[in-house]
Structures are given as C-alpha cells and as structure tokens.
Amino acid sequence: MIQVAINGYGTIGKRVADAVREQPDMEVLGVAKTRPNFEAETAVEKGYPLYAAIEDRADRFAEAGLEIAGPVEDLVSNADIVVDATPSGIGAENKSLYEEYDTPALYQGGEDADLVDVSFNARSNFEAATGTQHVRVVSCNTTGLSRVIAPLQEAYGVEKVRATLVRRGGDPGQTSRGPINDILPDPVTIPSHHGPDVETIFPDLDIDTLGMKVPATLMHMHSLNVTLEEAVDAAEIRDRFADESRLFLIPESMSIDGSGKLKEYAHDAGRPRGDLWENCIWEESISTVGRDCYLFQGIHQESDVVPENVDAIRAVLGASDATDSIATTNEHLGIGF
Ligand code: NAD
C-alpha cells in the first residue's frame, strides 16, 4: 500500500484524503493542519491521524480536545509521497521540508510551474511524471481545458484555442471573497495567465484565454472555441467526448440549465459534498462552423483536480500506467454518471 501524507487539509486536501482512502492500492498515513477547526474535527472523526503543521501551535489542538500524532516532519519522513494542498505559495515554502526527507511531493495549481519538474494532467501527460520528485497538479481551470484539448488534438490537430473563463469569485466556504455584486475582467490584461498554464501541459499549443470573475461560488464556466486542423462534424466530436471518462456530456433531456442544477444533480446522485469530478459539457453546445468547434463547460473548482492528484501519486511512483490508473481512480471514486 502506498502511504500518502496530506499536508494542508482544506478544500482540496480533505477531498484528496477521502479519494485516496477509497483506492485499493494506497492509504492515508495522516493529514497535517496548522490549527484546529471543523475540518480538523472531521479529520479525526474519519480516523485520519492528525499532525501539527506548525510545531509552536501544536498545543492549540490539545486545547480543542484534538489528539496530535506528531509534527509534520514525522508524517513526511514516513510517507511514500506527500500531497501538498496548502494555500498558494506555501507549497513552495514547504519544498525544502520534502527535500530534506527525500519524499516526493505533489503540489497544487496555486504554485508556480517552475517550482516543479513536471506539471501534470492524467489524460494528457501521465508518463512525464514518472520517476520525478516534484510535480504540480495543474489548476481546476487548466485541468478542465486540458481534458478537452487532449482528445481534440489527438484526433484532429489543434490550430488555436480561444477560451473565456467566467470564474467563481470564491469557494462556498470563502466568506471573505468577492465580488459581491459586480462582474470583473480578471485579470484585466489579455491574455490571462491560464493560457500559459495550459502550455505547461501542451508546450506547442497556440492558446489565448480571457478571465472574468462573477459573484458566484458553485462553479466556473468556460466558453471555448477550438480551431481544428480539419473540418469535423459536431456529432463526431460529441461521440468522441462521450468516450472520455472525465467528460460528462449533459444531455438536453436532463434540463440542466446552469451550475445550480448541476450541483443539485450531483447531490441527488449521492456525490460526496456534491462534487463534480468531471468536466460538465452541455452536449447541445458542442457545435462546429467549418474548422471551429465551440462548447460551454462547467468546471467544479473544488473537485475536478481530485482524481488527478490520485493519478499523479501512481504516476510519480511508477505504480501504474495512465490507462490503468485512470480506470482504477474512476472506479473507486465513482466517476461517471
Ligand atoms: P484552503 O485554504 O481551502 O486549504 C488550505 C489548507 O492548508 C487550510 O486548511 C490551511 O489552514 C492549511 N495551511 C495553511 N498553511 C499551512 C502550512 N504551512 N502547512 C500545512 N497546512 C497549511 O485552500 P485550497 O482551496 O484547498 O487550495 C489549496 C491549493 O489548491 C492552492 O494551491 C490552490 O490554488 C489549489 N486549488 C484550489 C482550488 C479551489 O478552487 N479551491 C482548485 C484547484 C486548485
């Protein structure tokens, strides 16, 4: 069993821990947190050994009635791999800790690409991570774009991608984030940083992205235009996407008109935390005009990177190939409606 440490147990870390626990070939060695809160309490209730990420603050856990298994150094030194799911920039500060114990580490999309050996998306470049020490699982938006670009590029070649990302202002728990009542060009400069981030996965891709922020918490929405190298029928692209395990084509018959009903559907379907691990593409939106393909997709920012982290664990440790890892992760997480 692969022993996995999770450093940073927030929105992403707690989901990755639960996903790791579901896998037949890995287990959660422990999770590290900086301070006691409701997430620390539920970690203990779930049976995850809790480690103190900052030694000076370890007493606070005892004061809150939470038992600490030890300092984060113990967790890192005993793990086969660490998933760092700390806030943007903290992963970079933690890198020396992982190097000190020679423990390979996964970082999240908030870190810079030049921190790591490889930026990772399971569908697009699984093998590139094998045998490396420091890997970045790309952001929710880059994951969502990569999963669509990979099959299009393989089948038809991609001349140019233009994507407009309408981004949620904050996650549901991020009460301090905004905008409250506004629509922001964000970043106002064009292209946004998302295009270069996708190029960390597809180095030769021609892609421009524009970003906006809106007062929503549920999901991001992408409006995508991909110019292919040949003209293709929309029906053929729909069929191709239907074969992709992490693309969910929302059928017209479901009457899902936006993120609200998508999340409602995820809850009704019994998904943990209402998570949507797949890109949610409105099937009717997949259209072609000559060589231009268009579509709308919803991206659940809190969860689409979770299966990618699980696959990245196997990729880094050389424990599986891409096809088997993706199939195992999907099966044990319950991906696919
Ligand atoms: P979060 O704030 O929800 O969780 C981070 C956790 O790390 C918190 O529990 C925090 O207390 C803890 N932490 C802070 N400093 C720490 C330290 N030094 N050691 C250990 N733990 C520490 O953040 P998040 O949304 O889970 O984001 C984590 C990473 O994932 C970021 O790089 C982010 O960019 C990326 N990401 C976030 C989303 C999203 O929508 N939330 C999506 C994709 C990728």
Side-chain angles (χ1 to χ4, degrees), residues 6 8 58 64 70 90 103 117 131-133 139 143 159 183 198 200 206 210 214 234 263 268 284 301 317 328 331:
I6 318 274
I90 306 287
T103 307
D117 307 318
T132 60
Q133 281 286 107
S139 74
T143 296
E159 186 178 296
I183 302 171
V198 175
T200 66
D206 186 357
L210 291 76
V214 295
K263 289 285 288 170
D268 288 353
E284 307 144 83
Q301 73 281 355
L317 299 177
T328 305
E331 183 191 340

Side-chain angles (χ1 to χ4, degrees), residues 3-315:
Q3 301 296 318
V4 182
I6 318 274
N7 192 16
Y9 190 78
T11 304
I12 301 297
K14 65 188 177 187
R15 286 175 166 82
V16 171
D18 289 355
V20 164
R21 189 177 56 175
E22 295 301 322
Q23 304 304 308
D25 55 344
M26 50 184 83
E27 57 192 25
V28 179
L29 184 63
V31 304
K33 274 202 65 67
T34 47
R35 61 193 167 87
N37 67 354
F38 72 97
E39 285 161 330
E41 298 229 3
T42 51
V44 171
E45 277 163 23
K46 284 172 188 242
Y48 299 139
L50 187 60
Y51 288 78
I54 300 174
E55 208 168 356
D56 302 351
R57 297 198 205 157
D59 291 349
R60 294 197 202 171
F61 289 91
E63 285 160 19
L66 296 170
E67 194 185 329
I68 286 291
V72 66
E73 288 77 6
D74 287 359
L75 179 62
V76 170
S77 68
N78 289 322
D80 295 317
I81 190 162
V82 183
V83 179
D84 185 298
T86 59
S88 303
I90 306 287
E93 291 175 15
N94 286 338
K95 187 177 183 182
S96 57
L97 170 69
Y98 310 141
E99 284 175 330
E100 190 182 336
Y101 294 99
D102 206 21
T103 307
L106 305 183
Y107 305 85
Q108 306 305 313
E111 303 302 325
D112 289 341
D114 58 13
L115 179 75
V116 295
D117 307 318
V118 175
S119 292
F120 180 87
N121 171 253
R123 175 63 179 80
S124 314
N125 70 343
F126 185 98
E127 281 79 16
T130 301
T132 60
Q133 281 286 107
H134 302 279
V135 168
R136 184 178 70 115
V137 175
V138 290
S139 74
C140 47
N141 283 310
T142 303
T143 296
L145 290 169
S146 300
R147 286 177 180 167
V148 167
I149 290 166
L152 291 177
Q153 195 176 54
E154 283 165 20
Y156 314 114
V158 168
E159 186 178 296
K160 172 100 191 171
V161 179
R162 297 173 182 85
T164 302
L165 316 181
V166 181
R167 299 150 67 209
R168 59 88 179 101
D171 294 339
Q174 289 177 312
T175 41
S176 60
R177 295 275 284 259
I180 292 173
N181 178 18
D182 210 341
I183 302 171
L184 313 181
D186 185 271
V188 69
T189 49
I190 294 169
S192 70
H193 57 275
H194 304 93
D197 204 42
V198 175
E199 286 164 351
T200 66
I201 301 289
F202 303 93
D204 301 324
L205 187 72
D206 186 357
I207 177 167
D208 290 336
T209 49
L210 291 76
M212 285 188 265
K213 250 188 203 175
V214 295
T217 60
L218 299 180
M219 296 177 79
H220 301 301
M221 181 78 77
H222 293 176
S223 158
L224 205 61
N225 165 211
V226 181
T227 306
L228 303 167
E229 285 175 358
E230 57 184 276
V232 186
D233 266 1
E236 187 182 325
I237 294 176
R238 281 184 212 133
D239 286 348
R240 190 168 295 281
F241 282 172
D243 289 339
E244 293 285 323
S245 62
R246 292 183 186 167
L247 301 183
F248 165 46
L249 300 191
I250 308 165
E252 189 180 353
S253 59
M254 278 194 165
S255 302
I256 290 176
D257 59 5
S259 309
K261 287 204 184 74
L262 262 174
K263 289 285 288 170
E264 189 72 5
Y265 174 51
H267 281 289
D268 288 353
R271 288 291 180 92
R273 303 183 174 94
D275 282 351
L276 288 155
W277 300 295
E278 308 88 342
N279 292 24
C280 302
I281 303 176
W282 275 267
E283 190 168 8
E284 307 144 83
S285 75
I286 302 171
S287 314
T288 53
V289 180
R291 291 189 293 121
D292 279 316
C293 171
Y294 296 91
L295 60 84
F296 287 121
Q297 63 176 358
I299 298 295
H300 185 218
Q301 73 281 355
E302 296 172 290
S303 70
D304 74 328
V305 298
V306 170
E308 307 295 327
N309 273 273
V310 174
D311 291 326
I313 290 170
R314 295 196 189 95

